[in-house]
């Protein structure tokens, strides 16, 4: 099962091959138990080593911190009053032995955001397939669904009586994507959609609606890709490639590597603008895989004829 943490690591591994740069790192020797750093009581980080630490950004887990000063004898770094949750990240506690990345080229927070942005953008080409059910009532023909964000109904079936357990197709139905929520007992903030059946199954039987919707982004690192997004596992690499090209498009490798006295030599080998070639290559791979997955989905879910009630 692929989780968001797995995908972040995969994006970072892929990008490391294009930037030719390894981020320097150390570790915490004592836990960070607060989420603040004030001028009166600044947060002092105890590190395994401060050899590569300077005034600037540190990354612990997914939080960015701004270091104002450091002590190479005591192996400590003092965080500035504005340094917790730096650049929009979330201030959090951290356990001892957590990895501390020094001036990360691609912060994990940015990688996560790029992954979610890619997932959201896939909705224009690939839809997530989900299912909902309801029990048919002979006195009722219209059924409401709240906050499902149904883009299109793929099939509607009902389970027949008897040992065959056959799911019979309903071919006559109407979808109302902008139904009145109050009319069905919901509040005005709910997105309510309704389906009206033009065929009547046996009363009391289960009706299954298979529908297309936009893929959902991740909300936590432990969530499973297929469960959250509703997309097949085969699309995982599409998201990884999409996130990688989004991140690389803002980075020029020739300038990103200038953190050492050998910057001029590196610059001669990789002239300014060299990242454009790598970005184009990643985008081409992303586009190719996206087209392949779009075609596969069209074959798995071909258009099916249905009739309106009118």
């Amino acid at each position: 099962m692929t989780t968001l943490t797995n995908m972040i690591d995969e994006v970072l591994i892929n990008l490391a091959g294009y930037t030719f740069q390894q981020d320097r790192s150390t570790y915490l020797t004592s836990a960070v138990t607060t989420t603040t750093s004030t001028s009166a009581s600044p947060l002092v980080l105890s590190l395994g080593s401060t050899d590569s630490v300077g005034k600037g950004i540190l990354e612990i887990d997914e939080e960015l911190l701004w270091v104002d000063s450091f002590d190479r004898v005591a192996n400590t770094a003092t965080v500035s009053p504005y340094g917790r949750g730096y650049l929009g990240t979330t201030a959090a506690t951290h356990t001892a032995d957590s990895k501390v990345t020094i001036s990360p080229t691609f912060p994990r927070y940015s990688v996560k955001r790029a992954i979610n942005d890619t997932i959201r953008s896939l909705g224009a080409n690939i839809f997530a397939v989900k299912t909902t059910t309801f029990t048919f009532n002979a006195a009722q023909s219209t059924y409401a669904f709240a906050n499902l964000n149904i883009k299109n109904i793929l099939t509607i079936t009902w389970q027949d009586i008897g040992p065959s357990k056959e799911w019979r197709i309903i071919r006559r139905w109407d979808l109302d994507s902008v139904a009145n929520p109050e009319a069905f007992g919901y509040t005005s903030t709910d997105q309510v959609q309704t389906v009206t059946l033009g065929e009547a199954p046996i009363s009391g039987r289960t009706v299954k609606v298979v529908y297309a919707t936009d893929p959902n982004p991740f909300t936590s690192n432990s969530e499973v890709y297929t469960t959250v997004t509703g997309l097949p596992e085969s699309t995982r690499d599409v998201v990884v490639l999409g996130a990688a090209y989004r991140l690389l498009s803002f980075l020029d490798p020739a300038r990103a590597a200038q953190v050492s006295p050998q910057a001029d030599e590196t610059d001669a080998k990789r002239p300014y603008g060299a990242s454009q070639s790598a970005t184009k290559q990643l985008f081409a791979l992303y586009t190719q895989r996206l087209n392949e997955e779009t075609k596969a989905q069209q074959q798995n879910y071909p258009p099916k004829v249905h009739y309106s009630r009118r």
Side-chain angles (χ1 to χ4, degrees):
M1 297 185 296
T2 302
T3 64
L4 176 56
T5 298
N6 301 142
M7 297 184 70
I8 292 174
D9 292 337
E10 186 171 355
V11 171
L12 289 173
I13 290 173
N14 290 347
L15 288 174
Y18 285 99
T19 61
F20 299 102
Q21 180 171 324
Q22 295 181 357
D23 291 331
R24 296 157 297 158
S25 63
T26 182
Y27 59 92
L28 289 175
T29 57
S30 62
V32 176
T33 58
T34 65
T35 57
T36 59
S37 180
T38 64
S39 57
S41 180
L43 172 64
V44 178
L45 302 174
S46 297
L47 305 174
S49 172
T50 55
D51 291 345
S52 299
V53 175
K55 187 173 182 178
I57 294 176
L58 295 182
E59 180 186 57
I60 308 176
D61 297 327
E62 291 181 6
E63 181 188 359
L64 296 180
L65 305 92
W66 181 269
V67 170
D68 193 56
S69 62
F70 53 90
D71 186 337
R72 299 208 189 281
V73 177
N75 283 336
T76 60
T78 302
V79 179
S80 66
Y82 54 84
R84 296 305 307 267
Y86 194 63
L87 294 179
T89 58
T90 301
T93 59
H94 307 284
T95 61
D97 299 331
S98 295
K99 180 182 178 181
V100 179
T101 305
I102 302 159
S103 299
T105 307
F106 300 103
R108 297 181 70 86
Y109 169 80
S110 298
V111 177
K112 177 192 290 188
R113 186 169 55 185
I115 289 173
N116 278 337
D117 288 345
T118 303
I119 291 173
R120 293 188 186 96
S121 70
L122 291 181
N125 300 87
I126 302 175
F127 53 80
V129 179
K130 297 187 178 182
T131 301
T132 187
T133 60
F134 61 87
T135 301
F136 182 74
N137 182 352
Q140 180 181 355
S141 60
T142 301
Y143 298 84
F145 311 106
N147 305 316
L148 294 185
N149 191 28
I150 298 174
K151 297 299 183 183
N152 184 32
I153 291 180
L154 302 177
T155 59
I156 301 180
T157 57
W158 64 280
Q159 191 174 30
D160 201 356
I161 293 177
S164 68
K165 300 185 181 297
E166 178 183 2
W167 287 88
R168 295 184 175 272
I169 298 177
I170 296 178
R171 299 188 183 276
R172 193 176 297 276
W173 49 266
D174 284 323
L175 174 67
D176 184 359
S177 297
V178 288
N180 184 351
E182 287 87 353
F184 294 92
Y186 295 97
T187 65
S188 58
T189 58
D190 291 317
Q191 180 199 26
V192 174
Q193 299 166 293
T194 63
V195 62
T196 302
L197 301 183
E199 301 174 18
I202 298 175
S203 184
R205 303 307 294 168
T206 298
V207 178
K208 180 171 65 175
V209 179
V210 181
Y211 62 94
T213 185
D214 291 330
N216 290 325
F218 289 100
T219 56
S220 72
N221 290 5
S222 60
E223 290 177 332
V224 178
Y225 174 73
T226 54
T227 304
V228 172
T229 64
L231 297 171
E233 180 68 22
S234 60
T235 61
R236 176 194 53 77
D237 68 314
V238 180
V239 176
V240 170
L241 289 170
Y245 100 76
R246 288 172 185 270
L247 292 165
L248 194 63
S249 62
F250 294 100
L251 176 71
D252 191 312
R255 297 296 177 251
Q258 291 187 4
V259 292
S260 68
Q262 291 77 22
D264 291 338
E265 181 183 353
T266 303
D267 183 56
K269 295 179 180 178
R270 287 175 284 166
Y272 186 82
S275 65
Q276 294 180 7
S277 298
T279 302
K280 290 178 181 178
Q281 179 184 359
L282 274 177
F283 183 74
L285 289 172
Y286 166 74
T287 303
Q288 177 184 341
R289 286 292 296 118
L290 181 60
N291 291 337
E292 291 171 353
E293 288 297 326
T294 301
K295 184 177 180 180
Q297 190 175 72
Q298 291 171 348
Q299 293 174 342
N300 292 334
Y301 299 96
K304 293 186 177 181
V305 175
H306 86 279
Y307 307 94
S308 67
R309 298 174 62 249
R310 299 173 182 82

